[in-house]
C-alpha cells in the first residue's frame, strides 16, 4: 500500500479520512485455481401481475434477486412486487428465500415468510400477483476459484472466501463502482484495500470517509470542500474528499449512515464527475472511483424509503457480500494463526489447541473477525484462552449482586446503575465488534450519547 499517509481531522477531532499516496508493492504471484460446481435453479413463472403465463428462467450461482426493477436476475412485471422484493440464496441447508423488506410480503406454499428454507422438491412462491415454482438442477458448470489461502492481507481457505478472493481480483481491474456489504467486523475495509492495491489506480490517492462519524451539519463540506466564509467557522478554503481523491479512489465507509438530504448531491457528483465546494458557484472536475461499504441491507433501506434507489444502483454496479464469520467458521484456525503472527506471538500458538479451536468454532461471533482478533489479543494478555473468551451476549445482562443495606439508597442505586451500564455496554460492544454506530442502532440510543457513556466508563470502543 502507499507509504505516505496524511490524516485530516474535522473540527470535533473525529477522524474523517486518510489520504494515502505511493507505489503499489511489487507484483503479486498469481494464485492457483480449482474447479468447483456452481449451483443452478430453474424458476418457472406461472402467473405474473395476475396474468397466467409460462416462463422459465435458469439462474447459475448462489444468489438470485427477484423484483420489478430491471437490475434483478428475475424481473417481474407486477405493480404489487417491490423493486427489490426478495432473494433466493444457496446456503449449507439448501436454498433459502429472504424477503428484502417488500411492501406486500412474500409467501411460500401460502405461508407468509421473512426468510425461510425452501422445502423440496418444487416450492411455490407468491409475490404480489405473481406465482413461481423453484426447481433445483444439477450443477453443470465448474467455477474456477483460487486455491491460495489468502489474498494480500486477507486469509481464508473456505470456498466462500476463496470465491470472494477471485471476485476481488477480477473486479479490481475494472473501473466499476463497488458496494461491499457485510456485518460489522467482517473486514470490509480490508477488502476495499485489496481492491485498490490491484487496481490501475493503486498509485493514486486513496481517501477514506467514515460517513457514520461525520456530523450531518458538515458532511457536505467534508465530501466536497468549502470556501472561506461559507459558514460560521469556515476561516479558510478547504479541499473536500472528492477533490483529494482525484485520479484515485474514494472509500465511503458506512454509506448507509449518509443523511437522506445528502444522497442526491452525492449521486450528482458520482454521475457528473463534478463537485462544487460549499459557498462557491464554480464546479470542479474530478476523476474518482467509488468503493462504498455498509453493514445495513441497503435494498431493504431502499424499499423503506431510507436510501435513494438511484444512488443505490449507482454504487452497486458490483456488489460483494462479505460473509459473517459464522458462515465460514472453518477459517478460524488460520485466522488465529494469522493474528498471532501479526502480533509477533507465534510461540503462543500452543495456547490454542484443538479443544480451544473446536470451542471457538461453536461460538456465533456476532462481532465477526474483529471480535475474534480482540479475543486473541485478550487471551495473550491474560495468558489464558479460557479467561480471554467472552461468550456471545444474549438478551439482557444478569441481575446485579446482593443488596447492601448498609449503603444509603442513593449510593446503592448509583452503584447498581453503573454496574448495569458497564455490563450492558461491554456485551453490546462485544456484539458490534466495537462499532459504535451499529451498537447504538441495536440499543436504540443516540450514537453520541453511547460514545459519551463508553468514554465515561472507561470502556474501549475501538
Amino acid at each position: 500500500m502507499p507509504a505516505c499517509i496524511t490524516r485530516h481531522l474535522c473540527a470535533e477531532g473525529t477522524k474523517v479520512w486518510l489520504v494515502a499516496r505511493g507505489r503499489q508493492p511489487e507484483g503479486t504471484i498469481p494464485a492457483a485455481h480449482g474447479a468447483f460446481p456452481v449451483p443452478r435453479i430453474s424458476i418457472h413463472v406461472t402467473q405474473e401481475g395476475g396474468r397466467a403465463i409460462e416462463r422459465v428462467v435458469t439462474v447459475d450461482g448462489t444468489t438470485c434477486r427477484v423484483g420489478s426493477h430491471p437490475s434483478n436476475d428475475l424481473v417481474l412485471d407486477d405493480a404489487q412486487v417491490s423493486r427489490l422484493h426478495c432473494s433466493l440464496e444457496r446456503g449449507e441447508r439448501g436454498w433459502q428465500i429472504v424477503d428484502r423488506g417488500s411492501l406486500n410480503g412474500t409467501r411460500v406454499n401460502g405461508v407468509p415468510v421473512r426468510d425461510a428454507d425452501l422445502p423440496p422438491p418444487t416450492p411455490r412462491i407468491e409475490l404480489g400477483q405473481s406465482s413461481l415454482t423453484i426447481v433445483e438442477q444439477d450443477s453443470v458448470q465448474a467455477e474456477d476459484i483460487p486455491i491460495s489461502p489468502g489474498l494480500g492481507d486477507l486469509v481464508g481457505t473456505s470456498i466462500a472466501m476463496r470465491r470472494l478472493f477471485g471476485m476481488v481480483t477480477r473486479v479490481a481491474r475494472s473501473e466499476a463502482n463497488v458496494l461491499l456489504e457485510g456485518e460489522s467486523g467482517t473486514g470490509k475495509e480490508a477488502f476495499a484495500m485489496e481492491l485498490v492495491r490491484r487496481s490501475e489506480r493503486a498509485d493514486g490517492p486513496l481517501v477514506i470517509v467514515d460517513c457514520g462519524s461525520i456530523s450531518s451539519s458538515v458532511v457536505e463540506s467534508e465530501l466536497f470542500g468549502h470556501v472561506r466564509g461559507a459558514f460560521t467557522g469556515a476561516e479558510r478554503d478547504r479541499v473536500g474528499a472528492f477533490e483529494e481523491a482525484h485520479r484515485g479512489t474514494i472509500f465511503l465507509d458506512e454509506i448507509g449512515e449518509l443523511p437522506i438530504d445528502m444522497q442526491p448531491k452525492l449521486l450528482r457528483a458520482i454521475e457528473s464527475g463534478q463537485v462544487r465546494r460549499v459557498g462557491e458557484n464554480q464546479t470542479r472536475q474530478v476523476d474518482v472511483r467509488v468503493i462504498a461499504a455498509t453493514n445495513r441491507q441497503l435494498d431493504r433501506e431502499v424499499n423503506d424509503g431510507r436510501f435513494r434507489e438511484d444512488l443505490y444502483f449507482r454504487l452497486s454496479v458490483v456488489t460483494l457480500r462479505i460473509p459473517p464469520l459464522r458462515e465460514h467458521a472453518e477459517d478460524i484456525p488460520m485466522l488465529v494463526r494469522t493474528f498471532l503472527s501479526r502480533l509477533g506471538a507465534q510461540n503462543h500458538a500452543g495456547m490454542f489447541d484443538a479443544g480451544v479451536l473446536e470451542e471457538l468454532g461453536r461460538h456465533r461471533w456476532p462481532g465477526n473477525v474483529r471480535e475474534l482478533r480482540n479475543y486473541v489479543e485478550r487471551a495473550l494478555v491474560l495468558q489464558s484462552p479460557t479467561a480471554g473468551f467472552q461468550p456471545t451476549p444474549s438478551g439482557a445482562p444478569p441481575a446485579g449482586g446482593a443488596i447492601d443495606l448498609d449503603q444509603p439508597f442513593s449510593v446503592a442505586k448509583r452503584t447498581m446503575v453503573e454496574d448495569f451500564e458497564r455490563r450492558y455496554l461491554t456485551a453490546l460492544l462485544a456484539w458490534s465488534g466495537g462499532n459504535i454506530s451499529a451498537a447504538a442502532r441495536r440499543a436504540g440510543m443516540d450514537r453520541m450519547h453511547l460514545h459519551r457513556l463508553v468514554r465515561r466508563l472507561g470502556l474501549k470502543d475501538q
Side-chain angles (χ1 to χ4, degrees):
M1 278 296 290
C4 177
I5 297 179
T6 305
R7 297 179 183 270
H8 293 257
L9 303 179
C10 68
E12 298 174 349
T14 305
K15 183 177 75 172
V16 177
W17 66 69
L18 306 175
V19 181
R21 293 180 175 85
R23 280 168 33 81
Q24 184 181 15
E26 294 302 320
T28 306
I29 299 174
H33 287 66
F36 291 86
V38 176
R40 166 174 284 191
I41 55 172
S42 293
I43 306 174
H44 298 250
V45 183
T46 57
Q47 184 171 307
E48 185 175 21
R51 304 177 303 278
I53 66 167
E54 284 293 335
R55 178 158 66 103
V56 180
V57 176
T58 301
V59 178
D60 296 342
T62 57
T63 303
C64 172
R65 302 199 318 183
V66 183
S68 58
H69 193 275
S71 68
N72 289 285
D73 302 298
L74 173 61
V75 180
L76 296 174
D77 183 13
D78 185 338
Q80 294 187 24
V81 169
S82 296
R83 293 163 293 186
L84 307 169
H85 196 103
C86 67
S87 61
L88 303 168
E89 301 175 3
R90 187 65 163 82
E92 293 181 358
R93 300 187 303 270
W95 285 94
Q96 301 169 303
I97 188 165
V98 180
D99 185 90
R100 314 309 297 185
S102 65
L103 181 62
N104 293 312
T106 301
R107 298 174 299 283
V108 176
N109 292 341
V111 179
V113 300
R114 288 190 60 184
D115 58 86
D117 293 337
L118 291 177
T122 54
R124 187 181 77 258
I125 298 173
E126 300 170 51
L127 322 170
Q129 292 184 303
S130 299
S131 297
L132 39 123
T133 56
I134 308 298
V135 180
E136 184 166 15
Q137 306 289 346
D138 292 334
S139 301
V140 294
Q141 295 185 3
E143 182 180 11
D144 201 30
I145 69 173
I147 293 176
S148 173
L151 185 71
D153 290 336
L154 306 171
V155 296
T157 58
S158 62
I159 292 179
M161 292 302 290
R162 284 184 283 146
R163 178 179 286 120
L164 206 49
F165 297 160
M167 285 291 295
V168 168
T169 302
R170 293 193 295 272
V171 172
R173 305 188 194 105
S174 74
E175 286 291 297
N177 296 335
V178 180
L179 177 64
L180 300 170
E181 292 185 336
E183 297 177 7
S184 178
T186 50
K188 296 184 291 295
E189 184 169 336
F191 276 90
M193 298 305 103
E194 293 304 325
L195 284 168
V196 174
R197 284 190 181 105
R198 287 160 174 76
S199 73
E200 295 296 324
R201 296 173 179 263
D203 291 333
L206 166 63
V207 181
I208 303 177
V209 182
D210 184 354
C211 299
S213 69
I214 307 175
S215 169
S216 58
S217 61
V218 299
V219 64
E220 184 174 3
S221 170
E222 299 296 348
L223 289 174
F224 308 131
H226 63 252
V227 296
R228 181 181 179 184
F231 49 82
T232 303
E235 299 178 352
R236 57 183 177 83
D237 290 357
R238 181 173 185 179
V239 175
F242 269 81
E243 285 187 69
E244 289 276 10
H246 181 54
R247 293 180 180 169
T249 307
I250 187 168
F251 176 45
L252 302 176
D253 199 10
E254 301 290 356
I255 188 65
E257 307 295 330
L258 192 69
I260 190 72
D261 60 334
M262 267 303 302
Q263 293 176 21
K265 298 177 182 178
L266 175 60
L267 174 65
R268 194 158 48 246
I270 295 173
E271 288 188 328
S272 67
Q274 295 181 334
V275 298
R276 185 171 60 229
R277 296 181 184 178
V278 178
E280 186 178 61
N281 292 324
Q282 173 189 356
T283 60
R284 301 167 187 268
Q285 197 73 29
V286 292
D287 173 19
V288 174
R289 184 190 190 184
V290 178
I291 300 174
T294 181
N295 57 17
R296 297 192 182 193
Q297 295 180 326
L298 284 192
D299 46 4
R300 292 188 176 183
E301 301 285 307
V302 169
N303 285 332
D304 291 340
R306 293 192 292 267
F307 201 86
R308 286 183 63 104
E309 177 186 15
D310 45 8
L311 178 58
Y312 170 73
F313 287 113
R314 175 60 65 177
L315 292 172
S316 60
V317 176
V318 176
T319 300
L320 298 180
R321 176 183 176 271
I322 317 300
L325 184 55
R326 62 183 174 273
E327 292 184 9
H328 59 108
E330 62 266 41
D331 289 329
I332 288 176
M334 172 170 282
L335 286 167
V336 169
R337 290 194 298 271
T338 300
F339 294 143
L340 290 173
S341 176
R342 291 174 183 174
L343 292 168
Q346 298 95 319
N347 57 329
H348 289 81
M351 291 173 54
F352 305 92
D353 58 26
V356 171
L357 293 175
E358 184 179 351
E359 177 65 25
L360 298 184
R362 289 194 292 266
H363 186 57
R364 294 291 292 171
W365 299 108
N368 294 294
V369 178
R370 183 188 292 123
E371 184 186 354
L372 177 63
R373 181 199 65 201
N374 293 346
Y375 154 73
V376 172
E377 291 186 27
R378 285 196 306 271
L380 289 173
V381 170
L382 299 172
Q383 287 296 295
S384 169
T386 303
F389 186 70
Q390 294 183 353
T392 302
S394 58
I403 299 297
D404 183 1
L405 295 179
D406 290 333
Q407 285 187 330
F409 174 79
S410 59
V411 174
K413 179 181 177 181
R414 184 169 62 251
T415 300
M416 293 192 71
V417 168
E418 182 171 319
D419 178 61
F420 165 79
E421 290 176 340
R422 184 179 302 279
R423 289 185 289 111
Y424 185 92
L425 297 184
T426 297
L428 186 66
L429 291 172
W431 170 84
S432 72
N435 186 301
I436 289 290
S437 296
R441 282 197 301 274
R442 176 159 187 176
M445 60 194 302
D446 179 74
R447 184 176 62 83
M448 291 308 298
H449 176 56
L450 174 59
H451 184 72
R452 287 192 291 270
L453 276 176
V454 167
R455 289 298 174 90
R456 177 170 64 81
L457 295 169
L459 301 176
K460 186 177 180 182
D461 61 0
Q462 302 155 18

